[in-house]
Amino acid sequence: MTREASYFLPSYFDAQFDAVIHFAGLKAVGESAQKPLLYYNNNLIGTITLLEVMAAHGCKKLVFSSSATVYGWPKEVPCTEEFPLSAANPYGRTKLTIEEICRDVHRAEPDWKIILSRYFNPVGAHPSGYIGEDPRGVPNNLMPFIQQVAVGRRPALTIFGNDYNTVDGTGVRDFIHVVDLADGHIAALLKLEEADIGCEVYNLGTGKGTSVSEIVRAFEHASGKKIPLVKAGRRPGDAEIVYASTEKAERELKWKAKYGIDDMCRDQWNWASKNPYGYGPPDSTD
Ligand code: UFG
C-alpha cells in the first residue's frame, strides 16, 4: 500500500466529515525544552499528517488549537491578533510553525478554510463534575496544581515570582472557562461555513487579566480550603502580563466568554472534590 493510499479510512468508516477540530498536541513547556524532537515530531508531523488525510478525503475545513504563547512577552496588553509573534521554547515554536504551515496550505490551495484559535489560559471543568483536567505527574500549570493542593495531594503551591510590575507582584493571565472555550469552537465551526473565510486567527480569551494571587484567593473562597503558599523566583520564560483583546472574536465569530473567575473556581472545585484523583484510582497520585 502506498503512503497516500493508507490515508484512506477503512471501508466500514463511510461517514462523511465536514470539518476537523485539531486539539491534539504535547503542551508542557519545560518538557519541550528537554525533548524538542519529541515535540517537533508529535506536534508538527502529526499536524502535517492530519492535513494530508483531510485533503485525501476532500475535507478542507480546520479549527486548530493555537496558543497565546505565540505572543511571547507582549510589549503591551491586551494582545491583538496582529501583534508580533515569537516563541520562547520548542512547544511555542510548534504552535507558531503550525500556524505558518496552515497559512502556506491556504495560500497554495485557497479552498482551504482554517481558523487558528489562540487559547489564553483554559481552566475550570464541566459543571456536571464528570469532566475535568487530570494531568499525569506533577502539574505544570497553575490551576491543576492549586486543585491538587486543595484536595491534599500536594502540600503547597509554589508562586513563581512576586516582583512583577502588577497589582500584587504576581504574574497576570487571562483565565477562560473551558465551557466558554468549547463554545468558541462551535462559533469557529459556524464561521467556517461562510463563503469568504480563508485562514483566520482569533483570540479565545475573556479580555480580563487576573493575577496568580487573585486566582488563589478565588479558589480558596470557592473550595473553603486554605492553599499554603511557598514563594519562589520567576519561572524562566514566563511573561509578566498576558491577556487578550477579544474584539475580533466578538465581532466576527459573534462569540464572547460568559463566565468569570468565580465560576471557573466553582466548577473546578466541583470536579476536584468529586474526583480528587481525577480519572484514576486513589493510589494513582505521584
Ligand atoms: N504559576 C505559579 N505556580 C505554578 C504554576 C504556575 O506561580 O505552580 C504561575 C506562572 O508563573 C504564571 C501563571 O501561574 O505566572 C500561569 O502559569 P501556567 O503554567 O498555568 O500557564 P502559562 O501562562 O505559563 O501558559 C502555559 C503556556 C501556554 C499554554 C498554557 C496551558 O505558555 O502556551 O500553559 O498549557 F497554553
Side-chain angles (χ1 to χ4, degrees):
M1 190 161 41
T2 64
R3 185 162 177 256
E4 205 149 276
S6 71
Y7 289 159
F8 285 92
L9 297 169
S11 55
Y12 58 79
F13 192 94
D14 56 1
Q16 272 297 311
F17 45 99
D18 301 315
V20 170
I21 304 180
H22 176 21
F23 301 109
L26 296 171
K27 68 168 202 78
V29 172
E31 183 187 52
S32 80
Q34 280 146 18
K35 300 176 183 169
L37 294 181
L38 176 70
Y39 273 66
Y40 292 130
N41 194 325
N42 185 77
N43 292 6
L44 298 187
I45 307 298
T47 301
I48 291 166
T49 305
L50 174 66
L51 290 165
E52 287 175 338
V53 175
M54 288 175 65
H57 286 267
C59 175
K60 293 189 167 184
K61 290 182 190 151
L62 175 73
V63 179
F64 169 65
S65 306
S66 187
S67 166
T69 194
V70 299
Y71 295 120
W73 182 308
K75 286 208 178 69
E76 53 181 323
V77 278
C79 302
T80 70
E81 286 83 350
E82 291 75 36
F83 270 24
L85 305 179
S86 65
N89 50 66
Y91 158 74
R93 210 159 288 118
T94 66
K95 294 293 180 191
L96 210 49
T97 308
I98 294 168
E99 287 199 1
E100 290 300 339
I101 290 171
C102 289
R103 285 188 199 97
D104 285 342
V105 165
H106 174 258
R107 229 170 267 133
E109 295 178 27
D111 55 332
W112 276 88
K113 297 179 174 196
I114 303 176
I115 289 185
L116 309 169
S117 304
R118 292 188 183 145
Y119 294 11
F120 281 67
N121 289 62
V123 299
H126 191 267
S128 64
Y130 288 120
I131 315 170
E133 192 176 0
D134 180 22
R136 288 188 204 143
V138 181
N140 293 292
N141 298 120
L142 180 65
M143 276 300 253
F145 207 106
I146 295 177
Q147 168 184 323
Q148 291 194 6
V149 175
V151 299
R153 287 172 61 176
R154 304 198 184 270
L157 170 74
T158 303
I159 297 220
F160 298 130
N162 59 3
D163 58 348
Y164 287 114
N165 188 18
T166 62
V167 58
D168 52 27
T170 64
V172 166
R173 293 292 182 275
D174 186 336
F175 298 98
I176 174 168
H177 197 299
V178 287
V179 171
D180 273 330
L181 197 66
D183 282 342
H185 289 74
I186 309 285
L189 281 177
L190 292 172
K191 183 77 181 170
L192 289 180
E193 295 304 319
E194 289 180 12
D196 57 348
I197 181 155
C199 181
E200 275 296 336
V201 51
Y202 294 100
N203 287 338
L204 293 184
T206 65
K208 296 186 188 73
T210 303
S211 78
V212 171
S213 290
E214 285 171 336
I215 201 154
V216 170
R217 277 201 298 277
F219 197 89
E220 287 183 331
H221 184 254
S223 63
K225 303 280 179 188
K226 182 90 195 126
I227 306 294
L229 302 175
V230 173
K231 290 191 174 135
R234 297 180 179 194
R235 190 171 64 175
D238 270 353
E240 187 166 72
I241 306 181
V242 186
Y243 60 87
S245 162
T246 57
E247 275 176 30
K248 188 179 176 196
E250 283 176 36
R251 194 177 56 242
E252 297 183 16
L253 296 182
K254 315 272 182 284
W255 167 88
K256 188 176 170 22
K258 291 195 271 296
Y259 298 107
I261 291 296
D262 292 336
D263 305 310
M264 300 174 208
C265 291
R266 179 200 60 217
D267 292 341
Q268 181 120 14
W269 176 242
N270 183 42
W271 152 252
S273 54
K274 286 180 176 155
N275 308 277
Y277 291 90
Y279 297 102
D283 59 355
S284 63
T285 189
D286 47 356

